[in-house]
Amino acid sequence: MTPRTDAQIAARIAADIPDGSYVNLGIGKPTHVASHVPEGREVIYHSENGIIGTGPTPPEGEEDVELIDASKRYVTANPGAAFFEHCDSFAMMRGGHIDIAVLGAYQVAENGDLANWATLDETFPPAVGGAMDLVVGVPTILVMMKHTDRAGAPKLLERCTYPLTGLGVVSRVYTDLAVLDVMADGFRLVELSPGCDLDGVRAVTAARIHT
Amino acid sequence: MDKRLDSLAAAVAPIKDGSSVMIGGFGSAGIPFGLIDALIAQGARDLTIITNNAGAGETGVARLLKENRVAKVVCSYPRSPGSIWFERRFEAGQVALEVVPQGTLAERIRAAGAGLGGFLTPTGYGTLLAEGKETRVIDGVGYVMEAPLPADFAILRAERGDRWGNLSFHATARNFNPVMAMGSKHATAEVRHLSAGPLDPEDVVTPGIFVQSLVEYAVRP
């Protein structure tokens, strides 16, 4: 098996994002998707902290401490960008104006439930941010994650055991091992990572995978 | 009318022990670092802080927590790289936490400022954050009833301001600042460029009616 690297997963997701899409990339690894958009496509990135048309990292020395994305990284504003306040930003998210969001996850269930904001560890303060607003309003929720957690336990489950972010919201999951759609009857295999076999993927998935 | 003050200290003087205080900003952008330092120097304690992040490092909201001025934090994202002072106070049981989804936080503040009794949002429906709240299903979609979130004070940061209290902002430093001006009873702003003459009305983002005082503070973080 040759599991996909984070960069390869990001590139695989970018290939599925159509020209002209308005896209929100979740904090952390999903931000890498922007680096892999195929030539010739214009994708407009929304950051919940008040920019649409988020551009790449500025050259060193040209950072503006008041121009950041939701991951609090320095960014730039692409031509055609706009700044706005938080109520407008979240109206874009809840109101169905953004086409696609790419999010990380702790767990995804076969009914599309997503858990990505809190664990069962009560000493660890939960941080919800904008995740719950995104998943209720954005029609296509793509998840980018490792197929298993650090201990090797499955993250694709029949039902989530962690607190939910949203119910029945995930459209497609991209892991290091496979791409899977969430259908009415559960996970359906879209493709395996090069060199991965279905039995090997099923062995680390705690839900059925239809083919 | 002239809402300009001479000092950061004068701007935060009305804040009392036990006050609720909204603090603008997201990450490092739009945080009123000058007003926060003045608030610490002023000495008010047992504050309820309403803000997006619970601070990072040793400055801003983190410094308020470090100096034990905060009884409760209402925010969407308490955990950030370097949010050690929040984590320390939370683990020791010294600060209460209310986690609110970010869009719900902004809209609850807006409801308070806009004279609304609350609103129905799909955000959080069926999750832990909806427990104990009224819910409704409309056309097959579940909604949670969310209450307005007012505050006694807001401390804000803006790029430009005039003596009428009109404000405009720079880049992503806008974030929660306009809605907090609206949602608080008394909003004060530190402003990078404060002019005696008026801002162009076409450029005003936050109309001065929402702002009670402002002070020039040219330092950028």
Side-chain angles (χ1 to χ4, degrees):
Chain A
M1 297 216 293
T2 353
R4 282 188 166 125
T5 63
D6 288 340
Q8 288 168 331
I9 301 171
R12 178 62 188 80
I13 294 170
D16 279 351
I17 297 177
D19 181 41
S21 299
Y22 289 104
V23 175
N24 181 294
L25 300 177
I27 63 173
K29 287 175 185 172
T31 56
H32 297 302
V33 171
S35 312
H36 297 277
V37 174
E39 194 82 14
R41 287 188 206 174
E42 185 178 22
V43 176
I44 310 287
Y45 297 102
H46 169 269
S47 284
E48 68 198 27
N49 57 314
I51 175 173
I52 196 151
T54 312
T57 309
E60 208 174 319
E62 290 176 33
E63 299 91 349
D64 177 343
V65 295
E66 293 188 331
L67 182 45
I68 59 173
D69 68 8
S71 300
K72 287 131 190 154
R73 299 176 315 159
Y74 297 120
V75 294
T76 47
N78 281 338
F83 301 124
F84 37 83
E85 54 90 29
H86 249 75
C87 290
D88 285 354
S89 187
F90 280 77
M92 294 177 196
M93 294 154 75
R94 276 193 317 265
H97 307 281
I98 292 172
D99 301 308
I100 297 168
V102 184
L103 300 173
Y106 296 140
Q107 297 176 333
V108 176
E110 64 182 8
N111 61 356
D113 287 358
L114 171 69
N116 78 346
W117 73 285
T119 64
L120 301 173
D121 178 357
E122 288 186 0
T123 61
F124 198 60
V128 66
M132 286 189 183
D133 302 283
L134 267 178
V135 299
V136 297
V138 178
T140 302
I141 300 293
L142 309 179
V143 166
M144 172 178 180
M145 67 176 198
K146 285 271 199 296
H147 209 92
T148 57
D149 69 17
R150 279 178 201 159
K155 297 174 70 170
L156 292 162
L157 310 170
E158 287 184 359
R159 289 293 177 270
C160 295
T161 57
Y162 287 169
L164 296 181
T165 307
L167 283 62
V169 295
V170 175
S171 304
R172 182 173 271 197
V173 183
Y174 302 75
T175 78
D176 47 339
L177 306 184
V179 179
L180 301 145
D181 276 340
V182 178
M183 307 298 286
D185 60 348
F187 293 117
R188 194 177 68 191
L189 184 71
V190 176
E191 66 186 48
L192 295 164
S193 293
C196 292
D197 67 83
L198 185 56
D199 286 343
V201 173
R202 281 181 165 147
V204 291
T205 305
R208 282 175 304 165
I209 298 177
H210 303 288
T211 52
Chain B
M1 181 177 285
D2 192 348
K3 297 183 180 180
R4 292 174 298 169
L5 297 175
D6 293 335
S7 68
L8 296 165
V12 299
I15 300 175
K16 297 177 178 65
D17 288 354
S19 290
S20 52
V21 183
M22 293 171 177
I23 303 179
F26 181 108
S28 58
I31 302 269
F33 286 102
L35 288 170
I36 292 171
D37 286 344
L39 178 57
I40 290 164
Q42 186 253 38
R45 313 183 70 84
D46 295 321
L47 302 171
T48 293
I49 297 299
I50 299 163
T51 190
N52 189 59
N53 305 99
E58 301 283 331
T59 61
V61 174
R63 196 174 158 227
L64 272 170
L65 287 154
K66 180 182 178 181
E67 303 286 342
N68 272 315
R69 304 304 169 82
V70 182
K72 182 179 181 184
V73 175
V74 183
C75 73
S76 87
Y77 209 80
R79 197 177 65 219
S80 305
S83 59
I84 48 166
W85 283 107
F86 171 77
E87 285 162 35
R88 206 167 286 182
R89 297 289 176 239
F90 180 78
E91 280 160 22
Q94 293 166 325
V95 62
L97 172 67
E98 180 181 350
V99 173
V100 182
Q102 199 173 144
T104 299
L105 181 63
E107 206 63 26
R108 286 181 63 194
I109 295 168
R110 200 188 101 78
L116 301 174
F119 56 94
L120 293 167
T121 178
T123 301
Y125 183 82
T127 75
L128 269 180
L129 296 187
E131 276 182 8
K133 293 176 180 166
E134 193 182 329
T135 59
R136 277 180 72 176
V137 176
I138 302 170
D139 292 337
V141 179
Y143 293 88
V144 184
M145 179 77 181
E146 292 284 359
L149 180 62
D152 302 320
F153 296 94
I155 56 177
L156 310 173
R157 175 165 177 87
E159 183 72 2
R160 292 181 188 281
D162 64 24
R163 68 175 170 88
W164 294 269
N166 296 309
L167 302 176
S168 68
F169 300 88
H170 173 67
T172 55
R174 188 178 309 191
N175 57 61
F176 280 93
N177 284 295
V179 76
M180 288 177 170
M182 190 191 289
S184 58
K185 290 190 202 86
H186 183 110
T188 188
E190 62 175 54
V191 178
R192 191 167 175 219
H193 304 285
L194 183 53
S195 59
L199 298 184
D200 184 332
E202 296 282 11
D203 295 337
V204 173
V205 173
T206 293
I209 190 169
F210 297 129
V211 178
Q212 280 62 49
S213 66
L214 63 179
V215 59
E216 188 159 73
Y217 186 69
V219 178
R220 275 184 92 179

